[in-house]
């Protein structure tokens, strides 16, 4: 029996295996050390707020909470990924994810003659390992595998993992401190990178549009402070969202309502930076998110900001800074727009399920032995998590950007939803 037909019922996924809660008081108790760590970061953020006349943008708060060297969530030594961490990502769920990416990389390499890969935000390093193993198995090793990782701690972890699992290929990896100099030709890969970039928060009411800043109350706790923005880029984005809302004829914010949402200026800026250095090649971005119309849908009145603490999901970004992940979904329309404006072609947009199904999953699993029950059911479980609509299959999207030669990739041939962007 082919494996894909064995998959009948939904199981667990990154999204659904987490308890969703607004109440942090029921969460597992943090140890003394962990609390002390968070307290240290809290003091650092409090100092920043005092030095900035009593308020910072939420993007600055999120940046400090996630990336303060030695203290931020991604920069300190906590276990973040996997069952013992706070959340699980696709390459951590199954090697099949990275193997499908490898197949798409081969298609790109064959069409462009480029054979340098650059992964940005490589987490534990597992995607790099499984992807390169698959390329090796198919005798298509790249000339180089570059990794750009913001967190020094994660970079160490990636180096250890690659040394252990791929000692014979370690020399083909190189870690960068910044994007390569122009002109760069190759393939850029990023899984769940953009959702980890700091966002600005907005609060729209019938009368006013505010940016949500972070300030301190009299006991030095973090609080929201809503003010007219002093940032022209945020102002422009507010105007865009209002225009979109006006185009939805039946949508007005009611007098008693507020509409909270976010914008990811850093992700757009990052796209522009990549476009600037890319001479020719492709960029594959995988992340959870929506098109603009879905993102700023009238009913999404609380935005998409989400925190992850030991597989509990909640919406309080001020809870234990440095100990929990903070993330927001991606507005893929704004990413595609930034890409086009920077001279990139938007060459494909599809769901993770369609990408994997069309991009190699069938081929990779066709020889699995159904009599090896344990392995067979484990692989089936992994595929369910990656592809079922109620798991990661639909919420996660894959965006293909390119410069230079036009590409045709098998992974976008089931469904390509570019017209929705
Ligand atoms: C949510 S994790 C995803 C990790 C990995 N890609 C995965 O799928 O398991 C986000 C990663 O992006 C890194 N990161 C965030 N912003 C970055 C930037 N501007 N440049 C490079 N890495 C960045 C973080 O340190 C972390 O490794």
């Amino acid at each position: 029996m082919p494996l894909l037909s064995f998959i009948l019922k939904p199981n667990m996924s990154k999204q659904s295996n987490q308890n969703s809660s607004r109440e942090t008081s029921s969460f597992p108790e943090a140890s003394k050390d962990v609390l002390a760590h968070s307290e240290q970061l809290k003091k650092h953020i409090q100092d920043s707020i005092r030095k900035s006349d009593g308020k910072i943008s939420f993007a600055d708060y999120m940046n400090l909470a996630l990336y303060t060297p030695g203290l931020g969530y991604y920069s300190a030594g906590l276990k973040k990924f996997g069952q013992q961490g706070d959340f699980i990502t696709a390459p951590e769920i199954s090697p099949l994810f990275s193997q499908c990416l490898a197949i798409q990389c081969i298609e790109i390499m064959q069409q462009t003659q480029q054979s340098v890969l650059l992964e940005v935000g490589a987490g534990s390093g597992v995607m790099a390992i499984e992807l390169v193993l698959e390329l090796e198995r198919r005798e298509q090793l790249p000339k180089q595998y570059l990794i750009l990782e913001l967190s020094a701690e994660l970079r160490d972890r990636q180096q250890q993992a690659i040394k252990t699992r791929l000692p014979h290929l370690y020399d083909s990896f190189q870690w960068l401190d910044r994007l390569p100099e122009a002109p760069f030709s190759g393939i850029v890969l990023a899984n769940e990178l953009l959702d980890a970039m700091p966002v600005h928060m907005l609060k729209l009411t019938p009368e006013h549009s505010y940016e949500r800043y972070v300030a301190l109350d009299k006991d030095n706790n973090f609080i929201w402070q809503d003010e007219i923005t002093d940032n022209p880029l945020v102002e422009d984005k507010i105007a865009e969202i209002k225009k979109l809302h006006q185009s939805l004829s039946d949508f007005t914010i009611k007098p008693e309502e507020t509409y909270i949402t976010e914008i990811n200026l850093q992700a757009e800026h990052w796209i522009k930076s990549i476009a600037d250095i890319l001479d020719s090649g492709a960029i594959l971005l995988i992340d959870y998110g929506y098109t603009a119309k879905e993102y700023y849908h009238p009913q999404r009145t609380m935005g998409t900001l989400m925190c992850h603490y030991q597989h509990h999901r909640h919406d309080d970004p001020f809870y234990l800074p440095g100990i929990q992940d903070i993330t927001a979904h991606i507005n893929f329309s704004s990413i595609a727009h930034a890409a086009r404006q920077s001279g990139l072609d938007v060459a494909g947009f599809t769901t993770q399920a369609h990408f994997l199904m069309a991009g190699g999953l069938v081929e990779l699993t066709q020889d699995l032995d159904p009599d090896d029950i344990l392995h067979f059911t484990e692989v089936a479980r992994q595929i369910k998590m990656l592809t079922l609509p109620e798991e990661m299959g639909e919420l996660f999207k894959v965006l293909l950007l390119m410069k230079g030669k036009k590409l045709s990739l098998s992974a976008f041939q089931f469904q390509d939803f570019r017209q929705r962007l």
Side-chain angles (χ1 to χ4, degrees):
M1 176 173 43
L3 181 87
L4 294 179
S5 54
F6 174 78
I7 297 167
L8 298 169
K9 281 203 215 143
N11 196 345
M12 302 199 316
S13 80
K14 183 193 178 199
Q15 299 304 310
S16 67
N17 72 348
Q18 295 158 324
N19 304 318
S20 192
S21 165
R22 291 186 182 274
E23 191 41 77
T24 50
S25 59
S26 62
F27 289 178
E29 221 171 286
S31 70
K32 263 193 184 151
D33 285 352
V34 164
L35 291 174
H37 171 140
S38 180
E39 205 50 41
Q40 220 184 326
L41 178 58
K42 213 169 151 182
K43 287 205 168 73
H44 177 71
I45 302 176
Q46 288 164 342
D47 285 346
S48 297
I49 293 177
R50 287 188 204 101
K51 281 185 200 140
S52 308
D53 293 332
K55 69 165 203 271
I56 55 176
S57 70
F58 183 75
D60 286 341
Y61 171 85
M62 187 166 160
N63 191 38
L64 291 167
L66 298 183
Y67 301 110
T68 297
L71 289 174
Y73 178 73
Y74 282 108
S75 313
L78 291 171
K79 176 123 183 66
K80 301 165 242 299
F81 313 102
Q83 292 303 344
Q84 281 88 49
D86 301 296
F87 58 88
I88 188 157
T89 60
E92 304 278 341
I93 289 171
S94 174
L96 287 166
F97 177 83
S98 312
Q99 290 162 1
C100 286
L101 271 179
I103 293 173
Q104 296 313 302
C105 287
I106 293 173
E107 291 185 17
I108 301 172
M109 291 195 277
Q110 285 170 346
Q111 291 173 52
T112 61
Q113 317 304 322
Q114 311 293 354
S115 117
V116 176
L117 270 57
L118 164 63
E119 184 181 351
V120 187
S124 70
V126 68
M127 186 171 107
I129 292 169
E130 297 296 348
L131 196 151
V132 169
L133 276 173
E134 187 62 21
L135 293 178
E136 184 182 39
R137 202 169 71 78
R138 292 169 186 260
E139 298 182 0
Q140 299 281 348
L141 278 171
K143 211 158 49 188
Q144 247 192 336
Y145 196 105
L146 309 172
I147 296 184
L148 174 59
E149 171 55 61
L150 202 59
S151 153
E153 196 275 329
L154 284 175
R155 176 200 286 227
D156 282 352
R157 247 196 259 181
Q158 291 154 14
Q159 289 172 342
Q160 287 314 319
I162 292 169
K163 250 183 215 155
T164 309
R165 298 231 7 234
L166 299 176
H168 60 299
L169 294 173
Y170 187 76
D171 288 346
S172 59
F173 286 85
Q174 191 189 330
W175 278 263
L176 307 177
D177 293 326
R178 61 185 73 86
L179 285 176
E181 297 286 315
F184 172 78
S185 293
I187 306 172
V188 181
L189 303 168
N191 185 59
E192 292 205 31
L193 166 75
L194 302 180
D195 74 73
M197 293 187 175
V199 292
H200 287 79
M201 295 295 297
L202 309 177
K203 180 171 169 179
L204 312 182
T205 72
E207 295 85 24
H208 300 291
S209 305
Y210 301 107
E211 177 171 352
R212 309 206 81 189
Y213 293 89
V214 180
L216 299 172
D217 70 7
K218 61 178 182 9
D219 298 321
N220 282 324
N221 295 312
F222 299 124
I223 49 166
W224 293 108
Q225 186 162 305
D226 301 328
E227 287 183 17
I228 303 296
T229 186
D230 53 16
N231 181 338
L233 295 175
V234 174
E235 207 174 311
D236 289 350
K237 287 286 169 189
I238 290 175
E240 272 178 39
I241 297 170
K242 282 181 150 174
K243 205 165 147 198
L244 181 72
H245 282 172
Q246 274 156 14
S247 72
L248 307 167
S249 51
D250 56 348
F251 177 54
T252 46
I253 302 171
K254 314 259 170 342
E256 69 284 4
E257 281 177 357
T258 54
Y259 188 90
I260 288 174
T261 192
E262 353 35 57
I263 50 171
N264 193 335
L265 296 176
Q266 191 174 322
E268 292 181 31
H269 180 76
W270 184 82
I271 293 288
K272 287 181 187 135
S273 313
I274 289 276
D276 284 349
I277 59 136
L278 191 68
D279 187 47
S280 68
I283 305 167
L284 271 170
L285 302 171
I286 307 111
D287 225 310
Y288 39 94
Y290 310 110
T291 62
K293 275 191 185 152
E294 296 165 306
Y295 201 103
Y296 297 116
H297 190 280
Q299 281 166 11
R300 200 182 304 287
T301 56
M302 296 300 288
T304 71
L305 192 79
M306 194 54 70
C307 307
H308 295 117
Y309 174 66
Q310 298 192 3
H311 295 269
H312 292 266
R313 263 197 286 168
H314 69 98
D315 59 5
D316 180 4
F318 303 146
Y319 179 69
L320 291 185
I323 309 304
Q324 64 165 357
D325 185 29
I326 309 174
T327 171
H329 287 39
I330 296 307
N331 169 2
F332 280 102
S333 303
S334 75
I335 300 296
H337 182 69
R340 286 193 192 100
Q341 281 206 318
S342 321
L344 297 171
D345 281 337
V346 178
F349 179 60
T350 193
T351 64
Q352 177 167 297
H354 285 116
F355 178 86
L356 296 176
M357 292 292 189
L361 203 52
V362 178
E363 178 211 320
L364 286 163
T365 54
Q366 68 192 1
D367 294 332
L368 278 179
D369 177 5
D371 294 331
D372 183 351
I373 295 285
L374 278 183
H375 183 58
F376 196 77
T377 48
E378 170 53 21
V379 177
R381 183 191 70 80
Q382 295 172 3
I383 294 180
K384 286 180 184 184
M385 287 179 74
L386 293 176
T387 60
L388 288 180
E390 59 276 42
E391 305 282 357
M392 300 172 84
E394 235 172 65
L395 178 61
F396 284 71
K397 312 288 192 307
V398 187
L399 183 68
L400 171 67
L401 307 173
M402 49 156 298
K403 203 183 236 182
K405 198 170 184 313
K406 292 255 176 292
L407 290 174
S408 158
L409 297 194
S410 58
F412 294 90
Q413 277 164 14
F414 263 178
Q415 288 286 356
D416 190 338
F417 297 113
R418 261 178 294 175
Q419 76 285 357
R420 296 187 190 167
L421 284 167

